[in-house]
Amino acid sequence: MGMWELVVVLVVGLIVLGPERLPVAIRTVSRWINTVKSVANSVKAEVNEELRVHELHNNLKKAEQQNMQDLPDDVKQSVDELKKAAESVKHSYKNASEPSNKTD
């Protein structure tokens, strides 16, 4: 939106809403815009994460088909990342399942 279009919108808003309600309307519209941007960024991050997981899954399939030998570097990185994730899940599960030895 150019400067002149913005000036026209502000003048029309000033005429329609008046000087008392125009600042409130501007704040309300800016909150809506910020909310929409926030939701859009959230969806974008979620889609990117799903694409990354899909790529890791495809690379794992490639690695399994090649019997984990002579893997390209990107596939090796994916397999290593998946191994680390599996170890962290296994480690946290193990810690959660161990009874605490605290005595009171």
Side-chain angles (χ1 to χ4, degrees):
M1 187 179 268
M3 184 178 120
W4 290 111
E5 289 134 350
L6 187 59
V7 169
V8 170
V9 168
L10 287 175
V11 169
V12 170
L14 187 60
I15 292 170
V16 171
L17 296 175
E20 297 85 26
R21 295 190 307 189
L22 184 61
V24 174
I26 291 173
R27 280 193 293 270
T28 303
V29 169
S30 73
R31 284 188 201 128
W32 289 348
I33 290 171
N34 288 337
T35 301
V36 169
K37 284 182 181 179
S38 174
V39 168
N41 286 336
S42 174
V43 168
K44 181 179 175 182
E46 193 171 321
V47 167
N48 284 337
E49 181 64 20
E50 286 297 321
L51 289 173
R52 190 181 74 79
V53 167
H54 183 70
E55 181 182 353
L56 287 173
H57 188 257
N58 286 341
N59 285 342
L60 183 61
K61 281 184 179 180
K62 286 180 191 175
E64 288 174 348
Q65 288 171 353
Q66 294 178 359
N67 293 326
M68 304 297 251
Q69 297 173 354
D70 300 327
L71 301 174
D73 288 338
D74 61 334
V75 176
K76 284 181 185 179
Q77 288 174 348
S78 294
V79 170
D80 291 341
E81 189 174 338
L82 288 168
K83 284 180 182 178
K84 287 178 186 175
E87 285 298 319
S88 70
V89 169
K90 202 189 302 185
H91 180 68
S92 63
Y93 178 74
K94 183 178 178 184
N95 287 344
S97 65
E98 289 179 354
S100 64
N101 293 330
K102 292 181 182 179
T103 55
D104 292 323

